Amino acid sequence: MSETYEFVVVANRLPVDEVVGADGGRSWARSPGGLVSALQPIVRGHGGAWVGWTGQPGDAPEPFDTDGMHLHPVGLSEDDVDRYYEGQSNGTIWPLFHDAVEQPTHRRPWRQAYESVNRRFAEAAAQLTAVDGTVWVHDYQLMLVPAMLRELRPDLRIGFFLHIPFPPVELFMQLPRRAELLRGLLGADLVGFQRPLAAQNFLQLTGRLLGLDPQEQHVEYDGRTVTARAFPISIDVAEVEKLAADPDVQAEARRMRHELGGDRRLLLGVDRLDYTKGIEQRLEAYGELLADGTVSNDDVVLVQVATPSRMRVQEYQELRARVEHQVGRINGEFGAVGQAPVHYLFQSMNRAELVALYLAADVMVITPLRDGMNLVAKEYVAARYDDQGALVLSEFAGAAAELTTAFQVNPHDVEDIKRALMDALNADAGEQAERMRPMRDQVRDHDIDRWAQDFLTALGKS
């Protein structure tokens, strides 16, 4: 019998990326991001395992050990990537769970692939987990896994955490096979969400769809008590603060400010290029401020970093074209030789580069139409050791419930975005510090380690 593990994480992606060296040799490097930072020491501390996809289509490599963890790759074919990942996960569930900002697409082959791949993940976890062990399943790509795993291994303690919003009843009811998806989540002992309202939506659905009787944070199902609660995710504060204190990062921040226009005040947006992020509305508001003379290209510059995302999907290709058209129009209409009002970067940036940008920015502009949390907002706050800078934050980001002294805005209202931008630009050093300090305290007190420990304690695995 193969080796088993007391604690197993199941996520769409493994915590490592394959790196090809100059000599063609292949190796594995830790993936960036807070989730890996939070879970890696827990998995390692329990001598645990991680089930996930490598990110590349094709046969899965053999399981391997790295950095104190056992990694078990799950293979996805090109067809799986098209139907399970880009189709059902990101063409159906993602838009629907983000308030149908973009119209979801419903296709039977996508649902069939989603079920098939979820079963593959569940079977891998069932084989890897020791008797009476604990499995923590993550996110919208794997919502059928808890029930499938429960069927295979009723002895296990199973947790599930959804990193994106959970929709209201009326939207969820649009999903074909909706009851099946709900039963998938009910296979867990603990279902975690970013916000309390998401947990309430889930529990309400168990009554509406399945005739159950939820009480407060619990519902009885299949002879078990399932708990649904909010566990707002956070960031690795110590890592961000360490980078912000690095003299090289600080020097890079000064260089960026100088190159972007010297004395001009810097507005900054950092987003995945996704239709939920409100980038188009942000550009529209900034363009109108330039057009009506409220701000000038001589005084203000907007830096928009758009990280490439799902670029094989048509909606994302069309979004990129629209955003780049907006940037070109604004720069063409309001720019000058050698001085553009918008600097647009369609690329990924490493952690040090991002923190340098956070330090350089006078105003961070985060205006998603809908977002489960938005960790960039928390990173910006954590980086501002000087208690300066201003945060313009959508009230529809999960982070808005914690970062209450930000300049909060309705991202669907261009006039409201314009007002918030001007309020943030006009805030003096005293007001900036008065707003920033409580946000920094909140982020420090509720970092990624506390999030993971809170969830695992509630699950009974501390």
Side-chain angles (χ1 to χ4, degrees), residues 255-319:
R255 185 193 67 78
M256 286 176 171
R257 278 200 68 91
H258 176 73
E259 289 194 356
L260 290 167
D263 294 334
R264 288 197 293 174
R265 288 173 295 172
L266 196 159
L267 306 173
L268 174 64
V270 175
D271 310 86
R272 275 191 319 103
L273 188 65
D274 192 287
Y275 48 75
T276 65
K277 298 300 184 181
I279 299 172
E280 292 174 278
Q281 290 82 356
R282 185 183 313 159
L283 288 167
E284 182 181 356
Y286 181 56
E288 288 189 9
L289 288 172
L290 287 164
D292 61 27
T294 307
V295 299
S296 163
N297 183 37
D298 292 330
D299 301 324
V300 179
V301 58
L302 170 64
V303 177
Q304 176 62 58
V305 179
T307 303
S309 175
R310 303 168 190 162
M311 292 315 299
R312 291 177 17 166
V313 178
Q314 181 179 351
E315 289 83 356
Y316 289 79
Q317 296 168 5
E318 293 171 354
L319 172 65

Side-chain angles (χ1 to χ4, degrees), residues 205-283:
L205 271 163
T206 66
R208 174 80 173 269
L209 266 179
L210 303 179
L212 304 181
D213 183 27
Q215 299 292 328
E216 296 182 344
Q217 297 180 333
H218 312 286
V219 63
E220 297 296 321
Y221 178 72
D222 200 24
R224 297 178 294 108
T225 298
V226 178
T227 301
R229 277 182 49 195
F231 298 87
I233 198 170
S234 194
I235 62 169
D236 186 343
V237 174
E239 179 194 28
V240 174
E241 290 184 334
K242 182 179 179 181
L243 283 168
D246 187 322
D248 291 338
V249 173
Q250 293 175 3
E252 178 65 8
R254 290 191 295 271
R255 185 193 67 78
M256 286 176 171
R257 278 200 68 91
H258 176 73
E259 289 194 356
L260 290 167
D263 294 334
R264 288 197 293 174
R265 288 173 295 172
L266 196 159
L267 306 173
L268 174 64
V270 175
D271 310 86
R272 275 191 319 103
L273 188 65
D274 192 287
Y275 48 75
T276 65
K277 298 300 184 181
I279 299 172
E280 292 174 278
Q281 290 82 356
R282 185 183 313 159
L283 288 167

Side-chain angles (χ1 to χ4, degrees), residues 388-429:
Q388 293 299 287
L391 174 62
V392 173
L393 179 62
S394 165
E395 60 192 58
F396 298 111
E402 297 175 82
L403 306 180
T404 56
T405 53
F407 292 91
Q408 296 205 5
V409 62
N410 176 1
H412 301 272
D413 183 347
V414 170
E415 290 297 327
D416 202 33
I417 300 173
K418 290 163 65 177
R419 174 202 56 77
L421 288 174
M422 293 313 302
D423 287 348
L425 284 168
N426 291 330
D428 61 23

